[in-house]
Amino acid sequence: MLPERTVERLSEYRRTLLQSLEEGKTHIFSHELAALHHNTAVQVRRDIMFIGYTSMQRKGYDVRDLIDVIGEILDSEKGLNVAVVGIGNLGRAVTTYFVGKRSKLNIIATFDVDHTKIERVISGVKCYSLSRLKEIVESYEISVAIMTVPATSASEVTSQIVDAGIKGIMNFTTVPLIVPDDCYLEEYDMITSLEKVAYFVKSGQS
Amino acid sequence: MLPERTVERLSEYRRTLLQSLEEGKTHIFSHELAALHHNTAVQVRRDIMFIGYTSMQRKGYDVRDLIDVIGEILDSEKGLNVAVVGIGNLGRAVTTYFVGKRSKLNIIATFDVDHTKIERVISGVKCYSLSRLKEIVESYEISVAIMTVPATSASEVTSQIVDAGIKGIMNFTTVPLIVPDDCYLEEYDMITSLEKVAYFVKSGQS
DNA sequence: AAATTATTGTTAAATAGATCACAATCATGC
DNA sequence: GCATGATTGTGATCTATTTAACAATAATTT
Ligand SMILES: NC(=O)c1ccc[n+]([C@@H]2O[C@H](COP(=O)([O-])OP(=O)(O)OC[C@H]3O[C@@H](n4cnc5c(N)ncnc54)[C@H](O)[C@@H]3O)[C@@H](O)[C@H]2O)c1
Ligand SMILES: NC(=O)c1ccc[n+]([C@@H]2O[C@H](COP(=O)([O-])OP(=O)(O)OC[C@H]3O[C@@H](n4cnc5c(N)ncnc54)[C@H](O)[C@@H]3O)[C@@H](O)[C@H]2O)c1
């Protein structure tokens, strides 16, 4: 079980490493990764220590190997199936964005209540009626949901999602959701993040 | 100077408090706020202690007062001026979303390089040519930028933003940005957050 | 091939953040 | 108006996370 912050940073490192690989870099030093991520070389080495990877001494980390090792930690073998619930403006933008990436996170269904959307393919993914949630979640073994329904229906839809067996939720709505302990919830609120930026700008701290 | 996590939570509390106010609630207990935010009553009290607010004992916190006190901490007097750089799909969605909220964060300009957008009003906000960045940032006293340009131009645009005098950046692109120490940077990456959810779902931890 | 240098991996120390424990407070019921 | 019980505010403690320090290592220079 890795520290939450380490998990976040590993994901960020991988993103950078993939880019480095494209640029033809085969090795990278801890201080290089650190500089690209606003943290320190020690922090990078510590994070990498957690996942038990050891580098070529004095040549830095092998980029390709490190990507693989991070993958073994973060990704599930078969990948992880994800559903988008509420395929409006934000839902579509997010879906398009994810479908464009080749990753182990597969958005394989979207759900809505709007009859003009149901049974259509939107942003490359099929949209189902919310009433079929449980059925589809079970048959496709979906374990994570992205919540992009209007605030007014967020709480109600959440209960249905939890009932359907979803084990992780990324919540884009402004409503704090209530979920049982065995469901991991990530509140993903732009306003909170922007207000944090505002606060630290105001206080003159980096 | 408040702990980073406390700043985040205060923003979240305020969101909830505003909703409670609408529902006609005048007072709220620490354990009620905690239940809505997946944390503990002690944590809530500690956070509120940081900002020096004291409640009506035994009646809970006065919702309206607490909103105001959080506002004094998080908001600047005159509010804070924000620019959106790159007004494509995501930029428009985000701008529409923020403009809808009444808050002290004012999106007062957007920037793009696409001539079909420049000098138009998009999502309720005027779009300027990127070449006028410095001029507009200075005259409107903009201090925070939301980065929603394509990954390919992110680094280059960032230097321009920093030169223009921006002191805080919220980065939606997949490229880790490099900024000087006196500029606060928030990497706001959906993939990182979703991978974190995936990891904790996989490890079976809430 | 010995000395120098840059870099890692890891133990130990420091800092930041969360929780415990409990005295102080005060609305409410008696 | 006194006892009761719920709730707060906070010092002390505990846990998580970051940073410092440095020996070990191996490429590079001499
Ligand atoms: N637009 C943004 O940039 C942005 C940013 C942050 C958060 N948000 C939040 O994300 C949510 C969605 O925003 P949006 O701009 O996409 O709104 P939207 O109205 O465009 O989309 C909402 C979608 O949800 C569907 N829907 C409604 N009730 C439903 C239900 N019970 N079950 C399933 N689907 C249902 C609607 O048919 C619609 O397709 C909102 O809560 C909003 O506050 C939006
Ligand atoms: N769509 C999403 O849900 C999503 C999610 C996460 C991150 N992102 C990231 O956000 C960024 C934007 O995504 P999008 O879907 O809105 O793309 P988009 O192509 O729709 O929008 C990009 C906009 O930036 C403008 N632009 C290009 N070069 C510019 C420059 N040098 N200066 C100013 N403006 C410039 C373009 O004219 C366009 O209007 C991308 O980096 C993407 O990876 C998108």
Side-chain angles (χ1 to χ4, degrees):
Chain A
M1 195 63 183
L2 272 51
E4 190 162 329
R5 286 302 174 85
T6 296
V7 173
E8 286 180 19
R9 283 190 301 262
L10 286 173
S11 166
E12 289 166 9
Y13 297 158
R14 173 162 65 175
R15 200 182 58 176
T16 303
L17 290 167
L18 285 166
Q19 205 187 324
S20 300
L21 198 63
E22 277 184 16
E23 291 165 4
K25 246 176 127 68
T26 61
H27 292 81
I28 195 165
F29 295 126
S30 57
H31 63 259
E32 292 178 300
L33 260 180
L36 291 166
H37 288 280
H38 261 242
N39 64 10
T40 65
V42 190
Q43 181 72 79
V44 170
R45 297 206 298 275
R46 160 90 27 189
D47 288 333
I48 290 174
M49 197 188 108
F50 269 120
I51 62 175
Y53 178 70
T54 52
S55 73
M56 305 278 297
Q57 282 265 14
R58 273 254 21 206
K59 269 203 166 171
Y61 301 96
D62 183 292
V63 175
R64 198 182 297 270
D65 285 359
L66 188 48
I67 290 170
D68 289 346
V69 177
I70 293 177
E72 277 166 33
I73 301 290
L74 294 189
D75 302 330
S76 304
E77 201 101 350
K78 307 180 290 183
L80 197 103
N81 295 334
V82 179
V84 173
V85 185
I87 185 88
N89 287 317
L90 186 62
R92 275 198 307 274
V94 169
T95 306
T96 308
Y97 179 62
F98 274 101
V99 170
K101 312 269 159 199
R102 59 239 166 302
S103 106
K104 292 276 188 171
L105 302 166
N106 319 306
I107 298 193
I108 57 174
T110 72
F111 294 92
D112 211 297
V113 290
D114 181 342
H115 285 285
T116 66
K117 290 172 181 164
I118 293 169
E119 298 299 323
R120 285 261 173 73
V121 172
I122 301 171
S123 302
V125 181
K126 181 142 183 211
C127 179
Y128 298 93
S129 165
L130 191 70
S131 60
R132 295 180 64 195
L133 186 67
K134 190 159 191 162
E135 171 202 337
I136 306 285
V137 163
E138 282 171 3
S139 63
Y140 289 103
E141 296 184 356
I142 297 172
S143 48
V144 170
I146 296 179
M147 277 288 279
T148 49
V149 301
T152 43
S153 31
S155 302
E156 187 206 320
V157 174
T158 301
S159 335
Q160 293 179 255
I161 284 181
V162 169
D163 280 349
I166 291 290
K167 290 296 173 223
I169 298 177
M170 186 161 164
N171 179 28
F172 279 83
T173 80
T174 51
V175 184
L177 305 183
I178 297 175
V179 298
D181 277 352
D182 69 343
C183 183
Y184 185 88
L185 174 64
E186 171 84 358
E187 295 284 351
Y188 195 71
D189 187 346
M190 290 179 198
I191 293 186
T192 293
S193 295
L194 193 60
E195 286 185 342
K196 190 170 79 171
V197 174
Y199 174 78
F200 286 107
V201 165
K202 176 185 146 188
S203 335
Q205 303 302 120
S206 82
Chain B
M1 196 64 183
L2 272 52
E4 191 162 330
R5 287 302 172 85
T6 296
V7 173
E8 285 180 18
R9 285 191 300 262
L10 286 173
S11 166
E12 290 166 9
Y13 298 158
R14 174 162 66 175
R15 200 181 58 177
T16 304
L17 290 166
L18 285 166
Q19 205 187 324
S20 299
L21 199 63
E22 276 183 16
E23 291 165 5
K25 245 174 127 66
T26 62
H27 292 80
I28 195 165
F29 295 126
S30 58
H31 65 259
E32 291 179 300
L33 260 180
L36 291 166
H37 288 279
H38 261 242
N39 65 9
T40 65
V42 191
Q43 181 72 78
V44 170
R45 297 205 298 274
R46 170 78 53 189
D47 288 333
I48 290 174
M49 198 188 107
F50 271 120
I51 63 176
Y53 180 71
T54 52
S55 72
M56 303 281 295
Q57 282 265 12
R58 272 255 20 207
K59 269 202 164 172
Y61 300 96
D62 183 293
V63 175
R64 196 182 297 268
D65 285 357
L66 188 48
I67 290 170
D68 289 346
V69 176
I70 293 176
E72 277 166 33
I73 301 291
L74 295 188
D75 302 329
S76 304
E77 200 100 350
K78 305 180 292 185
L80 198 102
N81 295 333
V82 179
V84 172
V85 184
I87 186 87
N89 286 319
L90 185 62
R92 273 198 308 274
V94 170
T95 306
T96 308
Y97 179 62
F98 274 101
V99 170
K101 312 270 160 198
R102 60 241 165 300
S103 106
K104 291 277 187 171
L105 302 166
N106 318 307
I107 298 194
I108 58 174
T110 72
F111 294 93
D112 211 298
V113 289
D114 180 341
H115 284 285
T116 66
K117 290 171 181 164
I118 292 169
E119 298 298 324
R120 285 260 173 75
V121 172
I122 300 171
S123 301
V125 180
K126 182 144 181 207
C127 178
Y128 298 93
S129 165
L130 190 71
S131 60
R132 295 181 65 194
L133 186 67
K134 190 158 191 166
E135 170 202 338
I136 306 284
V137 164
E138 283 172 1
S139 63
Y140 289 104
E141 297 184 355
I142 298 172
S143 47
V144 170
I146 295 178
M147 278 287 281
T148 49
V149 301
T152 42
S153 31
S155 302
E156 187 207 321
V157 174
T158 302
S159 334
Q160 294 179 254
I161 283 180
V162 169
D163 281 348
I166 291 290
K167 291 296 174 225
I169 298 177
M170 186 162 166
N171 180 28
F172 279 84
T173 80
T174 51
V175 184
L177 305 183
I178 297 176
V179 298
D181 277 352
D182 69 343
C183 184
Y184 186 89
L185 174 65
E186 171 84 358
E187 295 284 351
Y188 195 70
D189 187 348
M190 288 178 200
I191 293 187
T192 293
S193 295
L194 193 59
E195 285 184 344
K196 189 170 80 170
V197 174
Y199 174 78
F200 287 107
V201 166
K202 175 186 148 189
S203 332
Q205 303 301 123
S206 82

